[in-house]
Every structure is written in structure tokens, then in C-alpha cells.
Amino acid sequence: MFKKILIANRGEIALRIIRSCKELGVETVAVYSEADRDSLHVKFADEAVCIGPPPSRESYLNIPRLIAAAEITNSDAIHPGYGFLAENAQFSEICESSGIKFIGPRPAMITAMGDKALAKETMRNAGIPVVPGSDGIIEDLAEAKKMAESIGYPVIIKATAGGGGKGMRLAWSPDEFERQFQMARTEAEAAFGNGSVYIEKYVEQPRHIEFQVLGDQYGEVIHLGERECSIQRRHQKLIEESPSPFMDAELREKMGAAAIKGSKSVKYEGAGTIEFLVDKNRNFYFMEMNTRIQVEHPVTEQVVGLDLVREQIAVAAGAKVSKKKLRQVGHAIECRVNAEDPSKGFRPNPGTISGFHTPGGYGVRTDTHAYAGYTIPPYYDSLIAKQIAFGATREEVVDRMYRALEEFVIEGVATTIPFHMKVMKDARFRKGDFDTHFLDSFNFSD
Ligand code: ADP
């Protein structure tokens, strides 16, 4: 086991990782920007190193400063969390060459799965169904148009370096194709410094269902069931749950086998997620693989009874994943509580939290780095808490989530709590009858 782990992240996930390390008896080093001096992850770690000014590229994205912090503290491993450098192959490589274990996959794997067009090709070659579309990137407008015709409208144009729903554009007909194609390229260039795009069939009324996988250093991979992530706004997840209300044993068996086969074909090591789109006829298609711990990992933890961060650290230290039969008991839901105002188009709302009280009681878990008096800096994402509820049945858990959200007090900044409460009372949500368009027709304001 490692002696000391540096956590190259901030916010709730940094705290989440520190908690698992403490239980494992591993020392922790927090890093922080000048804007995060008063953050809980800094207070809870054994040591803390300031790595620079507030902008991410000068702190949480600054590889030399992170490596220096690991070296001066004698850390033998780095946990990247999610976002920032979690899927940066160069970072993983520099850790490796500096003799520091990167808790995540090897550089080549991050590269292979990070390029979405290449990842699709790899999975197709492994025999996994992928969304029909272009083979690799498409440069030329005329070629792209021809490709769209042959795939059949509607099509979706996606950035190969994409993430967070950016650089993604829909075209319903040939008339709007050119405009959307150019927009996707411009957006991708601006967001990722890489304007490469590829084209996919737009799966209509899809559900986003993903599988959690865990691979060890000896080629073994297991899956830990699925997460339903169809409640999205602008292709960004807001509510996740496990199991998916759409799932049955037969589909789980098929999709789980595909997730394992795909991961084994690339000798995947660590915690990862295989994302699928599922159409109304239960056809499923590989969409992408995330080579890190996901924001929504707690819903899996609550139904499978495993601490995923602990498992992730254990496999990085050389442990084997056990091939025990998947135990998926009960139901869990997560609501992402963001400092955003749902009545004003989810406008970010940084500021100081004047009053803060987290819910408690049976079947409730709150992962947060916030507290009364905490100031949410404007530089980073707006996630301030993950509210999780779990229990025996979905119906019970939806009611429990409503009760928990009602208890959750956050004063001083607008949050998405009122939005989540409305969803918990929505008849379609309660029935489990939704797809990724659920929020398109949702009334956010009253
Ligand atoms: P990102 O990495 O930017 O989050 P993803 O590839 O994971 O992008 O897609 C995000 C979301 O966009 C999906 O969950 C789904 O709602 C939608 N989406 C992506 N590709 C398609 C497609 N071919 N058909 C329908 N919806 C899609």
C-alpha cells in the first residue's frame, strides 16, 4: 500500500479521496490554489501545499507545480480525482517517469480512450456495438455532408476531444448541416484547442446508461452494475441513479458483458466507466469511456456496498479485483447541488454561504466541501454538494430524496435544490419514464 497520496484536485472529490485514505491508514497531501485556502480538503489533509494563483492553468492544471508538491512532500502516489488532469495522458506519463504512481490508467490507455473517434473504432474492433457514424475524424465539409446523408438524418456532430457536452451539435436536415458543422468545429477549437469532429447517427429518445468497471494490473476486469444518467441539461448530467429503471436482468447481462469485453480488450486498469446510449427498442451503443472516477460514483457504492475510491487505490497498489458475483441491492439516487439559479437559466451563483445545514437520517449521504461561511470561488465548476439517498425501492428513495432536499439549508447563494425537489414530484420521473430529453419540456421557473 502507498504511504502518502497527493490529491491533485479540490472540492468535494478531494475530500472524498482524503476520507478513503484515512480509513486505509494512508497519509494525505492536499494541494490548493490561493482561492481555496479555506476549503475543507485543505483542513482535513495531513499536509497541504499551495500551488499557485486561482486560475486552474496556474494551479490545478499546472503539472510542474503538482509534481514539485509531490516531491517535496515525499508522496508516492497521486490521485487525480475527476476533471482537471484526471484524463491527461501527459500528466500520467510525467508521474510515471518521476517515480510517482498515478492512480488511474497508463498514459497510452488515456490517449486511446480520450480521443473519442479512436475509442469508438477500438470498441467496434472488439465487437462492441457503437453508434453508427463516420470512421474517425472528418475534415472536409463536402465529405461530411456526404457522410451525413449516408448515415441518415438526424445526425450529431461531436468534438473528438469533447467533454462536458461542449462541441456537440445536432443537425436535423441537410439545410442546417453546414451551419452546425462549422459551429461544432469552432466550439471544439475554442474549448479544447482541437477542432476535430466526427459524425454520429443521432439516437432518438435515448437513455444514457453507463457501466462502472474496475480492472486490475493482471488483466482481470469486473463490472459493478449500471447507472442511469438520462436526466441532463445541455448534455450535462444532473441526476443519476442505480439501478436504471429501464434495466432488466437480460439487458444488464448483455451490456455488462460488453462493458467487460471492451475493457479487457484494452487491458483496462483502474476504475472506469463505459457509457452507452440505449434506444427505446433496447438496442445499446458504446458512446465513450471515461478513464477516471466519475462524479456519480456514490450511487454505485450505495447499491454494491463497496468504497470505489478505496478499490481504485487498492488496484493501483497491485491488488487483484475479486470475481465475486455482482451484488446490487436496493436503489440509490444522486442529485447534483450546484450554485446555479434554476429560475434564471441555471446562471452560476458564486458567493458566500451564510447558513448551511446538511440533511441526515436513514438512507441519506451528503458529499460536500461546503460549510457555513464558505465562499464559493468563481473560478471552478459550480458543484457544491452531492445529495445521495438510498434504500430498498426506487419509490421509497425518491420520497426520501425529497425529504432530504427539504432539510438541506443553503443560505446566501441560489442553488439547484428547488429544481431537484420539483423533479422528485414529477409524475414521469416517478414512473421512471424518461429519456435524455426529459428536461426539454420541463418548467424550471415556477
Ligand atoms: P461529453 O463527453 O461532452 O459529456 P458524451 O459523448 O458523453 O459527451 O455525450 C453527452 C450526452 O450527449 C449523452 O449523454 C447524450 O445525452 C448526448 N448524445 C451524445 N451522442 C449522442 C447521439 N449519437 N445520439 C443522441 N444523443 C447523444
Side-chain angles (χ1 to χ4, degrees):
M1 187 37 72
F2 306 110
K3 282 193 66 180
K4 199 190 266 186
I5 297 178
L6 179 138
I7 296 113
N9 215 301
R10 62 179 300 282
E12 71 83 20
I13 193 63
L15 194 56
R16 167 73 191 82
I17 297 162
I18 290 170
R19 286 177 169 146
S20 290
C21 290
K22 290 203 172 198
E23 292 175 20
L24 281 166
V26 174
E27 285 177 67
T28 51
V29 179
V31 293
Y32 61 98
S33 77
E34 285 159 14
D36 278 337
R37 221 172 264 287
D38 298 323
S39 195
L40 276 193
H41 77 283
V42 179
K43 297 187 207 289
F44 282 21
D46 297 310
E47 290 170 67
V49 181
C50 181
I51 48 163
S56 311
R57 57 175 192 288
E58 293 176 53
S59 49
Y60 299 105
L61 291 174
N62 190 305
I63 297 177
R65 287 189 193 156
L66 287 162
I67 298 290
E71 282 174 345
I72 55 166
T73 54
N74 265 326
S75 302
D76 49 357
I78 292 187
H79 195 305
Y82 54 68
F84 295 123
L85 295 169
E87 289 173 287
N88 185 305
Q90 198 199 350
F91 184 51
S92 157
E93 199 172 322
I94 293 174
C95 288
E96 210 172 80
S97 61
S98 311
I100 301 163
K101 177 70 185 172
F102 176 82
I103 303 179
R106 298 250 150 80
M109 184 77 45
I110 301 179
T111 306
M113 291 298 124
D115 180 318
K116 294 195 190 186
L118 180 64
K120 273 183 72 179
E121 207 175 303
T122 308
M123 291 300 164
R124 192 190 300 116
N125 292 340
I128 312 303
V130 303
V131 187
S134 58
D135 293 328
I137 56 175
I138 300 228
E139 304 278 357
D140 173 70
L141 176 66
E143 187 198 343
K145 263 190 139 157
K146 238 192 273 159
M147 180 55 75
E149 275 315 326
S150 79
I151 296 169
Y153 285 93
V155 296
I156 187 162
I157 305 140
K158 295 168 82 171
T160 178
K166 289 200 196 86
M168 205 183 292
R169 289 275 162 175
L170 242 164
W172 287 93
S173 67
D175 315 338
E176 56 178 31
F177 183 79
E178 180 170 345
R179 199 177 108 86
Q180 303 293 27
F181 183 73
Q182 306 295 15
M183 298 258 272
R185 289 180 61 131
T186 312
E187 223 171 84
E189 182 63 51
F192 314 110
N194 173 357
S196 304
V197 296
Y198 63 104
I199 303 173
E200 264 178 8
K201 174 86 186 158
Y202 184 69
V203 180
E204 293 186 66
Q205 299 173 20
R207 284 188 175 249
H208 172 126
I209 300 178
E210 58 186 34
F211 274 71
Q212 176 70 51
V213 297
L214 191 64
D216 64 22
Q217 296 174 9
Y218 319 98
E220 189 56 65
V221 180
I222 57 167
H223 83 75
L224 299 168
E226 81 282 5
R227 290 185 288 260
E228 163 74 64
C229 308
S230 299
I231 307 293
Q232 307 179 344
R233 179 177 172 274
R234 299 196 175 153
H235 307 306
Q236 294 248 55
K237 300 162 188 168
L238 289 176
I239 300 173
E240 302 95 346
E241 60 185 292
S242 185
S244 163
F246 190 70
M247 194 56 77
D248 56 40
E250 190 192 335
L251 186 60
R252 180 175 297 120
E253 183 69 36
K254 277 203 282 191
M255 291 179 73
I260 290 179
K261 193 172 165 201
S263 310
K264 276 193 174 166
S265 78
V266 295
K267 298 199 169 49
Y268 191 76
E269 197 185 304
T273 297
I274 307 257
E275 297 189 337
F276 295 103
L277 285 176
V278 184
D279 71 17
K280 57 178 189 293
N281 300 318
R282 298 181 179 265
N283 299 306
F284 63 90
Y285 307 96
F286 168 83
M287 189 164 47
E288 67 166 329
M289 178 167 200
N290 292 317
T291 55
R292 54 167 156 81
I293 194 85
Q294 303 263 103
V295 176
E296 60 272 26
H297 75 274
V299 295
T300 299
E301 296 185 321
Q302 296 307 146
V303 297
V304 304
L306 275 180
D307 172 341
L308 280 175
V309 173
R310 187 186 177 106
E311 297 300 318
Q312 198 185 17
I313 295 170
V315 298
K320 289 184 173 166
V321 299
S322 68
K323 277 188 286 180
K324 275 189 296 206
K325 198 167 159 35
L326 169 69
R327 163 201 173 274
Q328 214 173 357
V329 179
H331 203 92
I333 301 182
E334 171 184 280
C335 291
R336 298 193 189 192
V337 177
N338 294 327
E340 292 170 2
D341 191 343
S343 68
K344 297 200 174 73
F346 287 75
R347 194 168 69 194
N349 210 269
T352 298
I353 295 175
S354 51
F356 194 75
H357 171 79
T358 52
Y362 185 72
V364 165
R365 162 177 172 186
T366 311
D367 281 18
T368 182
H369 59 294
Y371 53 88
Y374 174 68
T375 299
I376 304 160
Y379 308 99
Y380 316 109
D381 75 18
S382 56
L383 183 74
I384 42 175
K386 303 192 302 204
Q387 184 55 53
I388 300 118
F390 51 94
T393 65
R394 184 172 190 272
E395 194 182 6
E396 170 191 323
V397 173
V398 173
D399 289 333
R400 179 163 302 135
M401 179 62 89
Y402 186 87
R403 183 276 287 173
L405 293 166
E406 211 171 27
E407 271 177 41
F408 206 158
V409 179
I410 303 180
E411 285 165 347
V413 296
T415 75
T416 48
I417 290 175
F419 154 77
H420 288 301
M421 290 176 76
K422 276 186 72 175
V423 176
M424 294 306 127
K425 291 287 183 200
D426 182 273
R428 274 187 60 207
F429 178 77
R430 295 183 71 91
K431 270 197 288 189
D433 166 27
F434 52 79
D435 57 46
T436 60
H437 297 288
F438 175 76
L439 294 182
D440 295 355
S441 55
F442 197 79
N443 182 4
F444 295 103
S445 47
D446 61 0

